[in-house]
Amino acid sequence: MLYNILKMSAARYPEHTAILKDNRSVTYRELKCRTDSLAGLLIRDGLTPGGIATLRLPNSPEFAAALFAVSRCGAAAVLVDPVFKPEEAANYARRAGTDMMLLPASSDSAVAGTNAFSIFPVPELAELAGDEPPALKAPPISDSQIAVMLLSSGTSGAAKIVPKTAVQARAALDIYQRTIPYHTEDRVLAALPFNHSFGFFNVLLAGIAAGATLIMAKYSPRQTATLIAQERISVLPATPFMFRMMAETEFDSAPDFSTVRVAVSAGAALPPAVLEKTRKKFGISIWQSYGTTESGPATLNRQAATDEMPVGCVGTPYVDVTIRVLDSAGDLLSEGAEGEVAVHSDASTDAYLDEPEASHCFRNGWVLTGDVGQIDPVSGALVISGRQKRMINVAGKKVSPDEVEACLLTHPRVADALVTGDPTPSGEERVLAYVVPKGDLDSGDVRTYCAERLADFKVPRLVRMVAELKRGPMGKLPASARPSRT
C-alpha cells in the first residue's frame, strides 16, 4: 500500500524535513503522525477498507497526508485537478464510485451531486496534532486491489479514469527510482501538480520514498528561479512550458542553478530551442522523460536534441520497460519503420475503469499509446513523430477537442461546433472553437458558458462564428467563417 512508503521513510528519517511550503516545515515523523490522525478521522466519518475517496486538493502538506491517510484506511484515492469546476470534479467522483470527497477546509464544500458521496474538509496539519490515531492496524491490501486512480488525457471525450493496483503503483515508482535515483539529501521542486501522473509518481512518491525534501511552490518563472537558488534545489522536474518561461524571462541578475543535478522534462515534447536556451542561460541540461498515465514511465533521453539524436527522440527505455513499434494489425515492425508505440512494464494498467469499449488500447500486458514513432536504427532510441488522434497541448495540459465540443453542443444557441488547437509562436497551443450559432450568440456568451462547466485551461481562448461546418473524409471542416471574435 502507498502508506508503507511514508511509514518506511518516517522510520528511517524521522527528523528530516519531508515538506517545505510557505515557511511551513514538516518532518517525516510529523507527517506520519498527522497522517495517522487524519486516517482516524476518515474512519470515524465512514471511510472503510475497499472504499474510494476523491482528492480535490492542491499541492500541499495536506494533500500528502490525505493521500497516505486514505491508503492507511485501506481505501483507493482518486486524484482530480483542483482547478476543475465543482460539477466536473463531482462527475469524475461519481464515475469512480466515490464514497467521500476530500476538499481543503477553506474551500466552499458545496459540490454538485453530493448525494452520491460525503464531503470531508481536510484540516491543516497543525490542527491534527492532538487527534488520536486509529486503534486498528492498517488493513492488508491485496496486490490486485486498486490503490490510486488518475485521469488520463485520453484521445476523445472526457478524460478516462486509469486505475493502478498496489503492485502497478509500486512498479511505476520502482522503475523511476532505479533509472533516476533520488537521495535523502535531495531537495525536490514540487511544482508539478500531484494529480498528474508524473507529479504524483515521480515527484511526490519518489521524493517521499527517498526521504528527500519536497519544496512545494506555485510556479512562476521569477519566483521559481529565486526558489531554486534560495532552497538549493537539486532535482528540478518541470514541463517544457515551465522551462521555456524561465529561459525567456529577463532576470536582473543571472539566477544560480548550480545546485541542480537533475532536471527532467515531462508532459509534452521538449523543443530543441528550449533545451539549448536553458543550457546556455542556466548551465543545466534537461532530460526528456516520456510515458503515459496508462503505461507509467517509458523512455528517458539524457541527450535530448543533440546532434547525435534526431528531433523527437525521447530516448531509451527505463529499467524493466520494453518498447515496441507496431503496424495497424498489431504486428512488430523493424527498426526505422514508423508505427504505433506500445509499452510493456509491471506498471502498465490493464483497462480503464468501467469503460470496456475504450480499453482496446490494452493488449496482453501492452499499452498502445496512440503515439506514432519509430526505433532509430543508429541510436536504438525511440523517436516520436506525432499522434494518431489529435490532442490540444495547453501549457503541458492535454485537452480533448471532443470534450469541449460536447460541452458547446449543450448550449441552447449552438447548432454545431468544432474545436481544434491554435498554434502560438512559442510552440504551445490555444483552444480554438468554431461555432455555428442558433439565434443571437457571441463569443463572450460561449466562453462564459464553457467557463462555468470546464476547467479554465479547457475554455476556448478563441471563438469564431461560422455559417456552417462541412463534413469531409477527415471529419468536420469550418466553412464560411465570419470575422473572428476573441
Side-chain angles (χ1 to χ4, degrees), residues 240-241 244 248 268-269 271 274 390 393-396 422-430:
F241 173 79
R244 181 182 69 80
E248 294 181 355
V274 174
R390 184 79 172 93
N393 183 3
V394 179
D422 180 58
T424 67
S426 64
E428 277 93 31
E429 294 179 292
R430 297 174 295 184

Side-chain angles (χ1 to χ4, degrees), residues 17 113 326:
T17 300
L326 310 176

Side-chain angles (χ1 to χ4, degrees), residues 209-262:
T213 298
L214 297 175
I215 311 296
M216 295 186 181
K218 288 186 177 180
Y219 175 79
S220 76
R222 295 185 187 279
Q223 292 178 357
T224 299
T226 299
L227 191 68
I228 289 169
Q230 287 181 346
E231 296 298 335
R232 302 185 62 79
I233 299 294
S234 59
V235 178
L236 177 57
T239 63
F241 173 79
M242 295 161 70
F243 281 118
R244 181 182 69 80
M245 291 296 290
M246 281 194 290
E248 294 181 355
T249 297
E250 295 297 329
F251 297 95
D252 295 333
S253 58
D256 180 7
F257 282 26
S258 61
T259 58
V260 176
R261 71 173 187 85
V262 174

Side-chain angles (χ1 to χ4, degrees), residues 27 41 54 56 79 95 107 123 174 180-181 209 278 303 306 357 375 431 437 463 480:
T27 67
L41 297 179
T54 292
R56 188 179 171 224
L79 310 184
R95 283 175 54 191
S107 69
D174 289 344
I180 309 178
T278 304
Q303 301 176 9
T306 64
E357 71 285 353
I375 302 298
V431 179
V463 178
S480 306

Side-chain angles (χ1 to χ4, degrees), residues 136-329:
L136 297 177
K137 292 182 178 180
I141 303 297
S142 69
D143 290 347
S144 60
Q145 183 172 330
I146 296 174
V148 64
M149 301 184 216
L150 300 104
L151 304 186
S152 168
S153 54
T155 54
S156 63
K160 306 293 189 293
I161 299 176
V162 182
K164 294 284 185 181
T165 65
V167 167
Q168 291 165 349
R170 184 70 223 193
L173 175 60
D174 289 344
I175 288 167
Y176 186 78
Q177 282 184 304
R178 293 174 61 196
T179 306
I180 309 178
Y182 291 0
H183 310 305
T184 306
E185 61 271 18
D186 274 327
R187 297 173 71 79
V188 183
L189 180 69
L192 289 174
F194 292 158
N195 62 281
H196 184 273
S197 59
F198 194 85
F200 178 68
F201 288 109
N202 307 336
V203 179
L204 175 61
L205 293 191
I208 294 296
T213 298
L214 297 175
I215 311 296
M216 295 186 181
K218 288 186 177 180
Y219 175 79
S220 76
R222 295 185 187 279
Q223 292 178 357
T224 299
T226 299
L227 191 68
I228 289 169
Q230 287 181 346
E231 296 298 335
R232 302 185 62 79
I233 299 294
S234 59
V235 178
L236 177 57
T239 63
F241 173 79
M242 295 161 70
F243 281 118
R244 181 182 69 80
M245 291 296 290
M246 281 194 290
E248 294 181 355
T249 297
E250 295 297 329
F251 297 95
D252 295 333
S253 58
D256 180 7
F257 282 26
S258 61
T259 58
V260 176
R261 71 173 187 85
V262 174
V264 186
S265 174
L270 178 65
V274 174
L275 173 70
E276 191 58 29
K277 283 182 180 180
T278 304
R279 181 184 291 147
K280 288 182 177 179
K281 192 164 189 172
F282 305 119
I284 60 173
S285 183
I286 307 171
W287 295 351
Q288 167 82 68
S289 180
Y290 166 75
T292 68
T293 306
E294 293 86 345
S295 69
T299 64
L300 180 70
N301 187 2
R302 292 181 170 89
Q303 301 176 9
T306 64
D307 292 339
E308 294 78 21
M309 291 287 185
V311 175
C313 177
V314 291
T316 52
Y318 276 84
V319 173
D320 293 333
V321 175
T322 304
I323 303 293
R324 288 181 179 174
V325 176
L326 310 176
D327 64 16
S328 57

Side-chain angles (χ1 to χ4, degrees), residues 220-477:
S220 76
R222 295 185 187 279
Q223 292 178 357
T224 299
T226 299
L227 191 68
I228 289 169
Q230 287 181 346
E231 296 298 335
R232 302 185 62 79
I233 299 294
S234 59
V235 178
L236 177 57
T239 63
F241 173 79
M242 295 161 70
F243 281 118
R244 181 182 69 80
M245 291 296 290
M246 281 194 290
E248 294 181 355
T249 297
E250 295 297 329
F251 297 95
D252 295 333
S253 58
D256 180 7
F257 282 26
S258 61
T259 58
V260 176
R261 71 173 187 85
V262 174
V264 186
S265 174
L270 178 65
V274 174
L275 173 70
E276 191 58 29
K277 283 182 180 180
T278 304
R279 181 184 291 147
K280 288 182 177 179
K281 192 164 189 172
F282 305 119
I284 60 173
S285 183
I286 307 171
W287 295 351
Q288 167 82 68
S289 180
Y290 166 75
T292 68
T293 306
E294 293 86 345
S295 69
T299 64
L300 180 70
N301 187 2
R302 292 181 170 89
Q303 301 176 9
T306 64
D307 292 339
E308 294 78 21
M309 291 287 185
V311 175
C313 177
V314 291
T316 52
Y318 276 84
V319 173
D320 293 333
V321 175
T322 304
I323 303 293
R324 288 181 179 174
V325 176
L326 310 176
D327 64 16
S328 57
D331 295 326
L332 179 66
L333 292 170
S334 60
E335 288 188 349
E338 190 173 85
E340 184 172 10
V341 178
V343 181
H344 179 275
S345 78
D346 289 341
S348 297
T349 299
D350 302 311
Y352 292 120
L353 185 72
D354 297 331
E355 292 190 77
E357 71 285 353
S359 295
H360 57 274
C361 62
F362 305 102
R363 296 182 187 173
N364 301 319
W366 290 85
V367 174
L368 305 184
T369 64
D371 290 322
V372 176
Q374 60 178 286
I375 302 298
D376 181 59
V378 176
S379 64
L382 176 64
V383 180
I384 300 294
S385 55
R387 279 194 64 79
Q388 291 185 323
K389 294 186 179 181
R390 184 79 172 93
M391 297 295 291
I392 305 171
N393 183 3
V394 179
K397 291 192 173 185
K398 306 300 191 301
V399 178
S400 165
D402 291 357
E403 181 182 8
V404 183
E405 287 176 13
C407 176
L408 288 168
L409 292 174
T410 64
H411 193 298
R413 294 195 301 279
V414 171
D416 205 353
L418 166 67
V419 174
T420 186
D422 180 58
T424 67
S426 64
E428 277 93 31
E429 294 179 292
R430 297 174 295 184
V431 179
L432 164 62
Y434 293 93
V435 173
V436 179
K438 220 175 12 178
D440 186 27
L441 183 69
D442 62 30
S443 60
D445 294 334
V446 171
R447 296 188 75 252
T448 298
Y449 185 84
C450 290
E452 292 172 349
R453 292 161 176 81
L454 299 173
D456 290 345
F457 68 90
K458 301 177 186 177
V459 175
R461 292 294 177 261
L462 302 174
V463 178
R464 294 177 181 168
M465 300 298 176
V466 296
E468 63 177 325
L469 292 172
K470 293 182 177 179
R471 262 65 177 177
M474 299 304 291
K476 297 179 183 179
L477 298 170

